């Protein structure tokens, strides 16, 4: 699965949208033999499924724990509010799938809240998904091109959806999520419960039970995701991030507010993150996923 452009450090290939139910985005990646580095997996309002096309992926919730991380062929993680750390080795290849949290029951048989503690086992997806996920990893290793690989993943997820299609999410939670997603996290959280006919406390309990986070945290993740999408789009198109313009457009009071959120989620200022990721962003990394809809 060769990429184009010898000056690129990474190859990123985006699958066509709507390949499988509950999938917000699917991206194939390949390290073009760059030296081993530590990549930050940023918080988002999506679940993360990573399928290695090689020996597996080493990930931990802190850099000092990477030394003890074992390569996992399938990684699966819930909503998190701090960056994860992934060891990227030369030639590493895989597919990263952004999954809508409210599709977790239908795809994986458990609510997204049960994936929030995945760091304790190195985000090992096979522990939950079982032999079928291991077999998918084995088939992916022999895929001759990205389209074949994307088709294998899509068929696997469609099969999972059929197996667990009776797993339902409460309508009030789905409606509240849609309101947050359509506003990119800017719908007033204080009005959210009233809009869906529940008390704020009850809605908060349902959200934590379903996705492992409160409505306020989910709204914050959506706003951060929108800001990051605007920043990466600016870098790709204009070569600079334009933080002062992004901040109000994404719902932050000012650039200082945006800076605080970035440090909170990544440990880096927006400028430091862009400087670190500039080449990857231009190569096509950090593809924005839709926060909103699931089937």
């Amino acid at each position: 699965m060769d990429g184009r452009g010898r000056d690129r450090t990474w190859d990123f290939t985006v699958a066509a949208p709507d390949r499988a139910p509950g999938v917000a985005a699917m991206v194939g990646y390949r390290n073009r033999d760059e030296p081993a580095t530590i990549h930050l997996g940023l918080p988002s309002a999506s679940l993360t499924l990573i399928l290695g096309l090689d020996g597996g992926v080493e990930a931990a919730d802190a850099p000092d724990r990477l030394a003890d991380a074992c390569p996992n062929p399938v990684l699966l993680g819930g909503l998190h509010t701090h960056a994860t750390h992934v060891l990227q080795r030369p030639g590493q290849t895989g597919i990263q799938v952004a999954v809508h949290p409210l599709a977790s029951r239908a795809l994986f048989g458990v609510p997204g809240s049960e994936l929030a503690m995945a760091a304790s086992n190195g985000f090992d997806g096979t522990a939950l998904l079982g032999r079928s996920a291991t077999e998918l990893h084995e088939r992916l290793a022999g895929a001759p091109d990205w389209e074949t690989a994307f088709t294998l993943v899509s068929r696997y997820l469609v099969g999972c959806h059929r197996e667990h299609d009776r797993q339902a999410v409460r309508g009030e939670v789905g409606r509240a999520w849609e309101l947050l997603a359509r506003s990119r996290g800017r719908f007033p959280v204080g009005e959210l419960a009233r809009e869906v006919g529940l008390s704020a406390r009850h809605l908060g309990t349902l959200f934590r039970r379903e996705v492992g986070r409160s409505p306020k945290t989910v709204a914050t993740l959506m706003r951060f995701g929108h800001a990051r999408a605007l920043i990466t789009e600016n870098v790709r198109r204009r070569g600079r991030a334009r933080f002062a313009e992004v901040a109000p457009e994404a719902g932050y009071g000012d650039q200082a507010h945006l800076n605080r959120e970035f440090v909170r989620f990544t440990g880096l200022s927006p400028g430091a993150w862009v400087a670190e990721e500039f080449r990857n962003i231009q190569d096509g990394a950090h593809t924005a996923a839709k926060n909103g809809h699931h089937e």
Side-chain angles (χ1 to χ4, degrees), residues 62-144:
D64 58 355
R65 297 183 183 179
L66 272 176
D68 298 323
C70 297
N72 287 318
V74 180
L75 271 67
L76 182 60
L79 301 187
H80 56 286
T81 57
H82 295 87
T84 57
H85 295 76
V86 181
L87 181 60
Q88 295 182 324
R89 298 186 181 277
Q92 192 168 56
T93 307
I95 294 175
Q96 180 164 328
V97 185
V99 178
H100 195 298
L102 300 190
S104 182
R105 289 180 184 269
L107 290 175
F108 309 129
V110 298
S113 58
E114 295 194 20
L115 307 179
M117 300 304 293
S120 62
N121 67 353
F123 305 96
D124 181 9
T126 60
L128 172 66
L129 303 179
R131 179 60 189 167
S132 63
T134 304
E135 291 172 348
L136 173 62
H137 166 72
E138 293 169 353
R139 291 195 296 272
L140 286 171

Side-chain angles (χ1 to χ4, degrees), residues 83-268:
T84 57
H85 295 76
V86 181
L87 181 60
Q88 295 182 324
R89 298 186 181 277
Q92 192 168 56
T93 307
I95 294 175
Q96 180 164 328
V97 185
V99 178
H100 195 298
L102 300 190
S104 182
R105 289 180 184 269
L107 290 175
F108 309 129
V110 298
S113 58
E114 295 194 20
L115 307 179
M117 300 304 293
S120 62
N121 67 353
F123 305 96
D124 181 9
T126 60
L128 172 66
L129 303 179
R131 179 60 189 167
S132 63
T134 304
E135 291 172 348
L136 173 62
H137 166 72
E138 293 169 353
R139 291 195 296 272
L140 286 171
D145 51 53
W146 284 121
E147 182 56 33
T148 301
F150 291 149
T151 298
L152 288 171
V153 175
S154 299
R155 288 176 179 171
Y156 168 77
L157 292 173
V158 168
C160 289
H161 194 270
R162 288 172 179 164
E163 180 182 354
H164 301 298
D165 63 0
R166 295 181 183 179
Q167 299 278 353
V169 175
R170 283 190 55 152
E172 299 95 330
V173 174
R175 173 61 177 158
W177 189 285
E178 287 289 334
L179 291 171
L180 289 174
R182 287 174 182 173
S183 69
R184 296 188 174 99
R186 300 176 71 171
F187 193 95
V189 174
E191 298 178 14
L192 197 60
R194 183 167 58 253
E195 186 70 25
V196 301
L198 296 174
S199 70
R201 183 175 182 178
H202 192 188
L203 182 61
T205 297
L206 293 178
F207 254 67
R208 291 184 183 89
R209 185 181 301 162
E210 194 63 43
V211 302
R213 303 293 174 184
S214 70
K216 182 177 180 179
T217 298
V218 169
T220 303
L221 289 170
M222 289 180 177
R223 186 174 59 193
F224 173 71
H226 182 46
R228 184 160 59 94
L230 292 172
I231 289 168
T232 56
E233 185 66 14
N234 283 339
V235 170
R236 287 192 189 117
R237 290 190 174 187
R238 303 178 178 93
R240 56 195 183 94
R242 297 189 174 186
F243 301 121
E245 297 176 15
V246 165
E249 187 174 350
Y252 294 97
D254 52 27
Q255 187 174 339
H257 187 190
L258 171 64
N259 291 348
R260 290 194 298 272
E261 286 287 80
F262 241 90
V263 172
R264 170 189 172 189
F265 285 135
T266 71
L268 300 171

Side-chain angles (χ1 to χ4, degrees), residues 3-9 11 32:
R4 291 172 292 180
R6 294 185 180 181
D7 60 337
R8 298 167 67 94
T9 59
D11 291 325
R32 294 176 64 83

